[in-house]
Amino acid sequence: MNQEIDNKLLIAVVKNDDKSIRLFIDICQSIIFGALKLFDQIDYQDKQDLLQTIIQKKIFGLNGDWVGIKKFRGDCKFSSFLYQITKNETLSYLKSKGMKYKPKTSSLDDVHNLFNKNANLEDNLSLQYCLSILKNKEQKIMKLVSKGYKQREIADIMKEKPNTIAAIISRANRKLKKCMQDN
C-alpha cells in the first residue's frame, strides 16, 4: 500500500470516524514497516513490536488522544513525519539494546564499489570474467550502473519498471560477488 495520508483523513481520524481510523492505521503500518526494513540488525518480531509501540504511543497516544497527529505541524507530508518518528524510536531501541545502527547499503552502492575500487590487473580480469557469465540483460544493466546511471534512468533505457531493474541489479550483484569470491 503506497498511499499518502492527506489532511482530510487526519481530520476524520481525530473526529473518531471508524472507517478513516482503520484506513489510517493500515497506511501508517505500511509506512512504518517500510521504514523499519532499513534496519537489518533488528529481527522481524522486534520490528513488529516496534511497529505496535509506535502506533500506540506515538500516534494513537496512551490516552487515545491522537498525540501524533496533534504534534504534526503540516510543514511536510505526514508520511515523512511518521518516518522521522519511526527512525527516532528505532534508534532509541537500538541504543537501549547496546546495538549500533548499520545503514543498509543499496545494490547500486555495492556495484559502484565493485567497479570503482582500485583493483589490480588480476581483480579486473576476474571482474571481467564474472561479468561475462551474467545473462545479456544483466550485463547491459551492470554496465550502465558502472557508468553511474541511476535505477530510474536504466529503467527508461531498458524499457522496464524500476522495481524490475532493482531486482536484476540485486541478483546480478549477488552473482558477481559470489563469482569474485570463487575466483
Side-chain angles (χ1 to χ4, degrees):
M1 178 179 285
N2 191 11
Q3 296 177 330
E4 179 53 47
I5 298 170
D6 64 9
N7 291 340
K8 290 178 193 173
L9 180 59
L10 294 176
I11 291 168
V13 168
V14 172
K15 290 182 177 179
N16 287 323
D17 176 57
D18 288 337
K19 185 178 178 184
S20 297
I21 290 171
R22 283 192 299 274
L23 176 62
F24 175 75
I25 298 281
D26 286 346
I27 295 171
C28 284
Q29 286 179 337
S30 176
I31 293 168
I32 292 168
F33 206 75
L36 289 171
K37 286 182 180 179
L38 298 174
F39 296 88
D40 286 341
Q41 62 271 46
I42 301 174
D43 66 30
Y44 181 79
Q45 187 57 49
D46 288 339
K47 286 179 183 177
Q48 289 291 333
D49 292 344
L50 271 166
L51 173 89
Q52 294 307 317
T53 299
I54 292 166
I55 294 281
Q56 289 172 350
K57 289 184 180 176
K58 298 296 182 178
I59 304 302
F60 184 68
L62 295 175
N63 300 322
D65 57 0
W66 296 105
V67 68
I69 294 174
K70 292 178 180 174
K71 286 184 179 179
F72 178 59
R73 294 188 311 252
D75 54 351
C76 64
K77 291 181 178 180
F78 191 82
S79 58
S80 299
F81 174 73
L82 190 55
Y83 175 82
Q84 194 62 44
I85 289 171
T86 302
K87 180 179 157 193
N88 291 340
E89 278 298 302
T90 306
L91 290 173
S92 294
Y93 170 80
L94 289 172
K95 188 175 181 180
S96 74
K97 298 288 184 185
M99 301 167 74
K100 294 205 183 248
Y101 171 56
K102 298 176 208 153
K104 184 176 185 177
T105 60
S106 72
S107 295
L108 281 177
D109 294 338
D110 291 344
V111 173
H112 283 291
N113 291 338
L114 190 61
F115 280 96
N116 295 323
K117 71 177 184 180
N118 293 326
N120 59 31
L121 179 61
E122 186 177 322
D123 287 341
N124 285 331
L125 290 173
S126 181
L127 178 59
Q128 292 307 314
Y129 168 74
C130 292
L131 279 169
S132 72
I133 64 171
L134 295 177
K135 295 177 183 176
N136 285 340
K137 191 178 215 176
E138 291 171 335
Q139 287 179 18
K140 288 177 187 174
I141 291 171
M142 296 308 272
K143 285 180 184 174
L144 290 171
V145 170
S146 72
K147 292 179 182 177
Y149 285 90
K150 304 289 182 213
Q151 276 179 222
R152 169 114 8 232
E153 296 169 322
I154 296 169
D156 291 342
I157 292 168
M158 301 294 292
K159 296 181 179 22
E160 294 280 353
K161 293 181 181 176
N163 288 347
T164 302
I165 297 301
I168 292 170
I169 290 170
S170 181
R171 184 175 51 246
N173 190 39
R174 280 193 309 273
K175 288 179 184 178
L176 284 175
K177 282 182 177 179
K178 183 174 181 342
C179 180
M180 293 290 285
Q181 288 173 351
D182 293 346
N183 289 313

